[in-house]
Amino acid sequence: VTQLEKLLDLPTVEDATGIAARVTGGTPGNFERTVQIDKGSNRGIQVGYPVLTGEGLVGTVTAVAAQTATVTLIDSPTIGIGVRLQATNTSAITSAKSGSRGLTLGFLSDLSVKPQEGELVSTASSPKSAFPPEIPVGTVSGYSKGISDLQPTITITPVVNLSDLDYVKVLRYPDPTAAPPGG
């Protein structure tokens, strides 16, 4: 199954429709964690729209021109994503450091949580979230808590290989054309 086939078979996200796009450029370096895609405002893409693949969340649109757009990847230090640990139902916010591909979880809703390695981490459902709920973000790859630490250090590895992106799907989220709930 190619990346494009996976994309076209994406489960439909409530209140969102997507625009498939090809990644045309952007060399994810240590500082600039962005890629360019071949669709822009002429296709209805707007700043703030979430970007994903068949595996999970890639990033968010941060700049738009007529025929191209810039996507800032989830492992950029400029992005924090509200997430939920699936098994323990603990909410947190991701953070990233320059030069590292992994993400760290902060602002944990339960400081005593001890997730298992491999536990899935997905976008949280909160009313003003920039991302639809339940999109896979990563899996737990590390846990440590020193005696003097106020909260554990939990690291996650993105489910999408952000160094090897061909096709992505830009979600119109929240969809400006969607009927209001209950309407």
Side-chain angles (χ1 to χ4, degrees):
V1 180
T2 68
Q3 271 194 315
L4 185 60
E5 287 168 329
K6 262 191 192 164
L7 264 184
L8 299 175
D9 195 33
L10 267 179
T12 54
V13 176
E14 195 178 333
D15 294 336
T17 51
I19 304 149
R22 180 188 276 274
V23 174
T24 55
T27 47
N30 284 344
F31 303 108
E32 241 354 88
R33 308 287 314 147
T34 61
V35 293
Q36 302 300 121
I37 57 173
D38 68 352
K39 303 277 170 39
S41 58
N42 62 346
R43 288 299 190 84
I45 291 178
Q46 296 179 19
V47 168
Y49 279 177
V51 180
L52 45 147
T53 67
E55 282 90 33
L57 192 63
V58 168
T60 185
V61 175
T62 49
V64 179
Q67 298 183 9
T68 61
T70 301
V71 176
T72 297
L73 303 176
I74 60 172
D75 62 351
S76 166
T78 61
I79 287 187
I81 302 155
V83 294
R84 184 175 68 82
L85 289 148
Q86 292 288 7
T88 55
N89 205 23
T90 301
S91 59
I93 295 176
T94 66
S95 65
K97 291 183 176 61
S98 291
S100 168
R101 298 314 300 256
L103 302 168
T104 307
L105 299 183
F107 302 100
L108 296 161
S109 62
D110 176 1
L111 296 180
S112 66
V113 68
K114 197 163 183 192
Q116 298 299 310
E117 193 165 319
E119 182 175 337
L120 185 64
V121 178
S122 298
T123 53
S125 61
S126 60
K128 296 202 187 303
S129 175
F131 302 102
E134 304 302 323
I135 295 176
V137 175
T139 54
V140 173
S141 54
Y143 170 92
S144 65
K145 186 167 195 255
I147 294 167
S148 62
D149 293 345
L150 293 174
Q151 71 174 16
T153 299
I154 300 170
T155 53
I156 66 170
T157 300
V159 291
V160 176
N161 179 352
L162 300 171
S163 301
D164 184 26
L165 295 168
D166 291 328
Y167 290 95
V168 295
K169 188 169 192 173
V170 181
L171 295 184
R172 291 185 187 98
Y173 181 86
D175 185 348
T177 62

